[in-house]
């Protein structure tokens, strides 16, 4: 069977970031080329919000590989989309953390993320594991299609092997992030900005903050800042900006300047050794540098820590936030 196109059913921000940002989804454009798949496999692809797809007459069939992502493997919307795709003859690859789950039974093939049980409702380690699984899938597709040379593949794998050390180093930010959380609990609203492959991580940071602390937080593509969100920025609206040293750096620095010009408070996530951002941001969280496709994994960790520490200082139940369930089994 020759796979010509790829569709990725997404549920939650964990899956938006799969394959190190399988896609950058907007409400108006539900089909966007997934970054890592296109970069590594030069394959056409689309990331789809699973609850919307099943009600569309989507052009999928035996030549469309559907990748369904669900931490629990029991998410009703994802399973509904999978069943609809199977009726059209599409092969299904499931990525899940739960062996023997409904997704595992429905899928043609399965990739498990052996992250172990996660007790808290808000995903953290399964978020990272799902991104890793998507990244490996992209590498495999790239090699199979001949779009990625053996040497390039080895370099990407070497980057993955470096991740445990870089993650351990990133976790050392726990204490300074806790101090930052003390400064931020007085604010009620937050904006998270990023560009390119880091945009889904901005969404993840905003989602975790609202889930755990019950504070209003919104993630937004930095390139769209002037189309609405800029009206909200003042001294009472902290802006969390993801400013890695990659191809988006200069444009993100421009966004930081725009926030500062409107008296906004800037919390920057940047790579270690970046002196320029230190001169422009109110607070800087310095993350170890990694390749552009793996950097989002490291950027996600301090954002999750920030949400945790803000929630703890506000007296929230971080394991069982109100109104949320670990697995959404009804539509």
């Amino acid at each position: 069977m020759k796979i010509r196109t790829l569709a990725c059913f997404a549920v939650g921000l964990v899956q938006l970031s799969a394959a190190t940002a399988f896609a950058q989804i907007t409400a108006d454009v539900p089909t966007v080329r997934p970054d890592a798949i296109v970069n590594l496999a030069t394959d056409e692809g689309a990331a789809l919000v699973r609850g919307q797809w099943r009600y569309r007459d989507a052009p999928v069939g035996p030549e469309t590989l559907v990748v369904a992502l669900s931490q629990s493997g029991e998410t009703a919307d994802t399973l509904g989309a999978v069943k609809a795709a199977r009726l059209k003859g599409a092969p299904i690859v499931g990525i899940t953390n739960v062996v023997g789950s409904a997704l595992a039974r429905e899928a043609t093939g399965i990739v498990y993320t052996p992250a172990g049980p996660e007790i808290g409702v808000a995903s953290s380690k399964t978020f990272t594991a799902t991104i890793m699984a998507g990244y490996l899938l992209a590498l495999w597709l790239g090699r199979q299609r001949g779009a990625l040379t053996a040497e390039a593949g080895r370099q990407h794998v070497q980057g993955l092997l470096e991740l445990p050390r870089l993650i351990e180093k990133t976790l050392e930010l726990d204490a300074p992030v806790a101090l930052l959380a003390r400064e931020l609990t007085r604010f009620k609203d937050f904006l998270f900005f990023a560009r390119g492959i880091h945009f889904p991580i901005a969404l993840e940071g905003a989602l975790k903050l609202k889930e755990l602390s019950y504070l209003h937080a919104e993630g937004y593509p930095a390139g769209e800042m002037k189309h609405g969100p800029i009206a909200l920025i003042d001294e009472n609206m902290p802006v969390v900006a993801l400013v890695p040293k990659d191809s988006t750096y200069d444009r993100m620095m421009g966004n930081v300047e725009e926030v500062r010009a409107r008296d906004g408070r800037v919390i920057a996530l940047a790579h270690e050794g970046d002196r320029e951002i230190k001169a422009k941001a109110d607070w800087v969280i310095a993350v170890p540098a990694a390749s552009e496709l793996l950097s989002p994994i490291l950027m996600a960790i301090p954002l999750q820590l920030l949400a945790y520490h803000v929630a703890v200082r506000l007296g929230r139940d971080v394991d069982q936030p109100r109104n949320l369930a670990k697995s959404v089994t009804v539509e």
Side-chain angles (χ1 to χ4, degrees):
M1 179 185 300
K2 183 173 179 60
I3 301 299
R4 297 185 183 276
T5 57
L6 179 142
C8 173
F9 291 149
V11 48
L13 274 303
V14 173
Q15 284 70 32
L16 282 184
S17 297
T20 320
F22 242 146
Q24 298 172 28
I25 297 177
T26 69
D28 296 326
V29 187
T31 55
V32 182
R33 287 156 56 96
D35 288 342
I37 293 294
V38 173
N39 288 345
L40 301 181
T42 63
D43 217 342
E44 287 298 326
L48 309 171
V49 179
R50 77 283 176 226
Q52 298 173 9
W53 186 89
R54 62 189 295 194
Y55 300 111
R56 299 170 54 202
D57 185 19
V60 301
E63 293 187 338
T64 301
L65 176 64
V66 171
V67 183
L69 306 133
S70 170
Q71 181 274 140
S72 67
E74 303 291 342
T75 308
D77 287 347
T78 302
L79 294 174
V82 164
K83 292 174 182 177
R86 289 194 65 177
L87 288 175
K88 295 191 174 190
I92 312 293
V93 171
I95 299 180
T96 183
N97 194 49
V98 180
V99 176
S101 61
L103 178 57
R105 297 192 299 271
E106 289 284 347
T108 312
I110 195 72
V111 177
Y112 287 114
T113 56
E118 188 162 60
I119 305 305
V121 169
S123 297
S124 54
K125 63 180 180 178
T126 52
F127 179 92
T128 303
T130 302
I131 297 177
M132 295 281 286
Y135 188 85
L136 290 170
L137 174 61
L139 288 177
W140 183 84
L141 284 171
R143 291 292 294 125
Q144 291 296 308
R145 291 172 54 83
L148 202 63
T149 66
E151 177 58 29
R154 280 191 289 270
Q155 291 177 4
H156 284 292
V157 170
Q158 184 60 41
L160 285 170
L161 294 175
E162 286 290 310
L163 267 185
R165 177 183 63 82
L166 295 175
I167 288 174
E168 286 187 4
K169 190 173 182 181
T170 304
L171 287 170
E172 294 175 2
L173 293 169
D174 183 61
V177 169
L179 290 175
L180 173 58
R182 181 183 303 176
E183 299 288 329
L184 298 181
T185 51
R186 59 192 172 92
F187 296 103
K188 303 299 181 185
D189 303 281
F190 294 81
L191 284 174
F192 288 69
F193 285 147
R195 288 176 180 263
I197 205 165
H198 287 85
F199 167 56
I201 305 304
L203 295 177
E204 160 70 359
L207 177 66
K208 284 294 184 291
L209 187 61
K210 69 178 73 171
E211 283 182 325
L212 299 185
S213 69
Y214 317 149
L215 297 175
H216 173 246
E218 295 294 336
Y220 221 84
E224 303 299 311
M225 188 177 82
K226 293 181 180 179
H227 297 278
I230 198 168
L232 300 173
I233 296 172
D234 61 18
E235 68 277 6
N236 296 314
M237 174 70 79
V239 173
V240 180
L242 279 65
V243 194
K245 278 273 191 177
D246 62 13
S247 58
T248 69
Y249 182 76
D250 290 340
R251 286 170 291 165
M252 279 303 304
M253 290 297 286
N255 289 125
V256 169
E257 292 276 14
E258 299 242 357
V259 173
R260 294 283 292 174
R262 288 155 181 82
D263 297 323
R265 311 298 297 277
V266 178
I267 304 149
L269 266 71
H271 284 157
E272 290 179 337
D274 186 347
R275 296 181 179 178
E276 188 176 352
I277 191 62
K278 288 184 177 180
K280 296 182 178 181
D282 296 279
W283 299 280
V284 175
I285 302 173
V287 178
S291 69
E292 189 161 346
L293 289 178
L294 291 176
S295 175
I297 294 176
L298 300 179
M299 288 281 184
I301 293 171
L303 293 181
Q304 293 172 346
L305 289 172
L306 181 63
Y308 167 79
H309 285 294
V310 169
V312 168
R313 293 198 67 83
L314 293 174
R316 314 301 194 211
D317 185 343
V318 295
D319 287 326
Q320 298 292 329
R322 68 188 183 198
N323 304 331
L324 298 178
K326 187 64 178 171
S327 178
V328 181
T329 56
V330 294
E331 187 173 357

